[in-house]
Amino acid sequence: MTNPKIGRGINRVAFVGSYLPRQCGLATFTHDLCEAFAAAHPQTHCLAVPVNDREEGYDYPPRVRYEIHEKQLDTYLQAAEYLNLNNTDLVCLQHDFDTFGGPGGSHVLSLLRNTNAPVVTTLHAVPPDPQEEAMRVMRELAQISKRLVVMSRRGRDLLQNTYGVPPEKIDLIAHGIPDVPFVDPSFYKEQFDAEGKRVLMTFGLLSADKGIEQAIRALPKILERCPDVVYMVVGATHPQERQRDGEAYRFSLERLAESLGVEQHFKIYNRFVNPDELAQFIGAADIYLTPYLNPEQVTSGTLAYAVGAGKAIVSTPYGHAEELLADGRGCLVPFKDHNAIAKKVLTLFDNKAEHTAMRKRAYLHGREMVWDKTARHYMACFDKATDAHPSSLATATRMADHLPDDDLPLINLQHVLWLTDDTGILAHAQHAVPDYSGGYLTTDNAHGLTLASLLEQLAEEIIIDTSELTKRYFAFLHHAWDANAQRYRDWMPYDRQWPNGGGAAQITQACVWWAAGTALARCDDDGLLQLAGKLFEPCLTQAATLSELDAIAYTLIGLDEYTHRFSGDRAATTVRTHLAGQLFDCLKLNTTPDWHWFTPRFTPGSARLAHALIASGRGLHQPEMIAAGLRSLRWLVDLQSSEDGYFSPINPANTDTDSDNHTQHTHTAPQPADAYAMVAACLEAYRVTGDPHWENDATWAFEWFLGRNDSGTPLYDSASGGTRDALDNDRASDHQSAQATLAFQLALAELSLNQNITPQPAGEDPASKTESVLSFPS
């Protein structure tokens, strides 16, 4: 029967540790516990947060939603933010000292300190004589964790006596095991060429502390009386052992067997086996051996599996073995005593009744350790942890940014405030007066939310409180969601009634995702973060279907913002990889000797395409994408420079080819969106390369708003803070729309924030590597 308390508050549990397919015992345990818990408590959402020991990570199953890089402290902090954002009710940490980065594995403490959820820590190692760093980490683990789980009485005693943990905070829960039938070993032997033989077995990742050489030294004496014995060792070399010493330990075992003349009776299956294979291997064993050398080992998953399978076991007396094999469930022999191993093995082979009785005692004891029961014990532990957890938690604060550069205009949001009412930001204005007939565009409200998110980081430079704007735009975008169509609506008239059959353009969806991603990266308000997460969530399932490049670019920039804070989200990385590849393919497809762009014709805000490719290349560690984006952006900057050196965007309607199929351009009716896109793209190029030329180009594009343009006319109205819609026929439009005004304010905000950014160090121009990718001419 399911624990009735589950519905009360534990709806989402995150299991943190290593995870399959990483090859280590902790990964196997974390995976098996997570899956068992999910099966036993189907109303609880279980997610896994693994720690990667290699840059490329692993091909994880869908249960994994966020990844941590072992040695990168910031990814632990980001993981905590991710868990908080996703309303995690409890964090179950699987801890040993080899999995986490930092001195003594201390990086994981940063995650635990910053998560809002109560923590339950399962200790897979409890050092009896810890070094100073290990002692510090263990004590803080014990302080942060609401409950500590150990798998042996020896571990519990060490926690109390060595680390001073109160006994009422400790839960003793047996190592979980698969529920396998009690079978005759002969059933499985044929598939391992062991039919008619008596099988000794040890399994697990190989390392020098396993003592397997003692079992090999016992073989000659065993074979004198039982020449049909074969000793099978199942498992690859432990990755850390392999990294440190290669395959030296495995080779030493094989050489030892040869030197003793028992090589025909000894075989190493040098691979990491899956659970089904493991059940078959263990099933084939007549006697299971754990000749381990460390007397303080408080947990052995392999021993637990063997007990649960009903194996007769001969083991050295390390902590876990003394407890698990008590009461006749196995035999103990002294450490490093191969003669004692041989004697116990022969005694069991000679006494079939005792051999069978030992197997049955082990198997019956193991029924209390099967994963289903273990999962229910963990739920009881989780309940105690949540009962002890306070309802209110402190929230981290971010250091305010400063704006030292006096050359930029002061931020003036007056026109933004005029256009924003209690519904959202109105799309149009007659001169500087809001025009109700135009209603509200979802894209404008998305741009407004992005601006508000950027301005939060410039709080000391803004006279007014922008939190109200943030809430207005959040509310509008939330209301724009059409639950039936699973899309954001494009437009709402001033009567606040969504039109029937209204559109749901790709650019609308993408702008909302961009705004939500930016808010998730930059906002500190817990409630607003939750709402931003809801706005962003459809991106992870719908964005892969986008086909319009401008929508793809907005989405990629939003994903870039999001992954600044939540870099371990695998779903986001998958979508980002797909869309970036699509954008890159379009660039390669459309590149010709005199046309170096993603599409045959320009669209408003064209520079955004290069921006998206550069940012995606940086985030996905794809230098070819970065190089291609930089090269294309440089081509566009050169193309959009007037004869007088001003920024002069190209109108999409004025790009064509002549009779010789050469591209012709007319520089007319540029829009504020073009200038903002160029500012943002050049700043991204500067952040990636550290080349000050890109920073200068961003300022060059921004000055277009201030009158450094073909007509010499400012579009920005410093009195109202509004921006005119376009330059047309050498004069500026009289109207100050939301789109134009937000474009200027966004460009100004990004330039202001840039004063506090430390770019990548300047070096070799990545664009120089693009020739082989796109065949750009010199």
Side-chain angles (χ1 to χ4, degrees), residues 739-762:
Q739 182 187 50
T741 298
L742 290 169
F744 172 84
Q745 297 292 349
L746 282 163
L748 177 57
E750 293 213 27
L751 280 168
S752 300
L753 286 170
N754 182 65
Q755 309 302 323
N756 301 300
I757 290 174
T758 301
Q760 294 292 322

Side-chain angles (χ1 to χ4, degrees), residues 199-276:
V199 175
L200 307 178
M201 180 175 292
T202 300
F203 83 88
L205 294 171
L206 302 186
S207 58
D209 62 350
K210 292 299 177 68
I212 294 171
E213 63 276 4
Q214 298 299 324
I216 296 174
R217 291 192 177 101
L219 281 179
K221 186 172 289 190
I222 295 170
L223 290 168
E224 287 178 7
R225 288 173 48 190
C226 303
D228 59 345
V229 165
V230 60
Y231 180 29
M232 298 164 56
V233 175
V234 181
T237 301
H238 195 289
Q240 291 181 343
E241 176 99 7
R242 187 167 58 243
Q243 185 178 22
R244 184 176 59 249
D245 298 321
E247 297 290 346
Y249 182 62
R250 178 168 64 87
F251 293 155
S252 72
L253 298 178
E254 292 171 342
R255 288 195 300 270
L256 176 61
E258 291 176 5
S259 69
L260 295 173
V262 297
E263 69 272 15
Q264 298 301 317
H265 299 268
F266 173 68
K267 183 172 184 179
I268 296 180
Y269 289 84
N270 180 29
R271 68 177 190 271
F272 188 83
V273 296
N274 63 45
D276 291 338

Side-chain angles (χ1 to χ4, degrees), residues 269-540:
Y269 289 84
N270 180 29
R271 68 177 190 271
F272 188 83
V273 296
N274 63 45
D276 291 338
E277 288 181 295
L278 182 56
Q280 294 167 16
F281 271 112
I282 296 176
D286 292 289
I287 297 176
Y288 187 78
L289 305 178
T290 62
Y292 299 168
L293 303 181
N294 180 10
E296 302 299 339
Q297 184 166 341
V298 296
T299 304
S300 172
T302 63
L303 180 66
Y305 278 39
V307 168
K311 298 290 107 176
I313 300 170
V314 175
S315 175
T316 51
Y318 54 92
H320 200 195
E322 284 187 308
E323 297 177 29
L324 209 50
L325 302 183
D327 301 324
R329 294 187 293 269
C331 301
L332 298 177
V333 298
F335 292 101
K336 297 183 179 180
D337 191 339
H338 62 275
N339 289 319
I341 294 174
K343 183 177 180 180
K344 286 294 185 182
V345 168
L346 290 171
T347 298
L348 287 172
F349 280 152
D350 289 343
N351 191 334
K352 186 174 182 180
E354 175 55 27
H355 181 273
T356 302
M358 182 183 291
R359 290 190 61 207
K360 289 181 178 178
R361 287 190 290 268
Y363 186 78
L364 292 173
H365 184 77
R367 295 317 90 209
E368 295 303 312
M369 301 160 57
V370 295
W371 275 117
D372 178 69
K373 291 187 177 181
T374 298
R376 296 181 190 280
H377 289 314
Y378 267 90
M379 176 52 76
C381 172
F382 293 171
D383 282 335
K384 287 185 281 187
T386 55
D387 287 344
H389 192 60
S391 58
S392 61
L393 294 159
T395 303
T397 58
R398 179 187 298 163
M399 184 182 297
D401 289 311
H402 300 279
L403 179 62
D405 193 338
D406 295 330
D407 292 334
L408 294 173
L410 295 176
I411 295 172
N412 179 356
L413 299 179
Q414 187 59 62
H415 191 58
V416 172
L417 292 171
W418 286 340
L419 288 174
T420 302
D421 61 15
D422 59 357
T423 298
I425 191 166
L426 289 157
H428 298 298
Q430 298 290 339
H431 300 277
V433 178
D435 181 359
Y436 296 153
S437 66
Y440 310 86
L441 285 170
T442 302
T443 52
D444 287 341
N445 282 271
H447 282 73
L449 176 56
T450 302
L451 174 63
S453 299
L454 298 180
L455 293 179
E456 181 179 327
Q457 298 184 296
L458 292 169
E460 293 187 1
E461 308 305 319
I462 303 171
I463 297 173
I464 67 165
D465 180 7
T466 60
S467 62
E468 289 302 313
L469 291 175
T470 304
K471 292 172 185 176
R472 289 280 189 273
Y473 304 143
F474 259 125
F476 183 92
L477 297 178
H478 181 70
H479 186 50
W481 177 250
D482 184 344
N484 293 326
Q486 292 291 293
R487 292 289 188 272
Y488 293 101
R489 302 176 179 94
D490 295 332
W491 173 76
M492 174 192 283
Y494 187 67
D495 64 10
R496 278 77 162 179
Q497 299 295 316
W498 295 104
N500 293 327
Q506 289 190 17
I507 194 66
T508 300
Q509 317 309 307
C511 283
V512 176
W513 297 335
W514 165 59
T518 304
L520 284 165
R522 299 172 186 265
C523 182
D524 278 338
D525 184 285
D526 287 345
L528 296 181
L529 281 173
Q530 298 293 333
L531 187 54
K534 291 180 181 178
L535 294 177
F536 189 80
E537 187 175 6
C539 175
L540 302 182

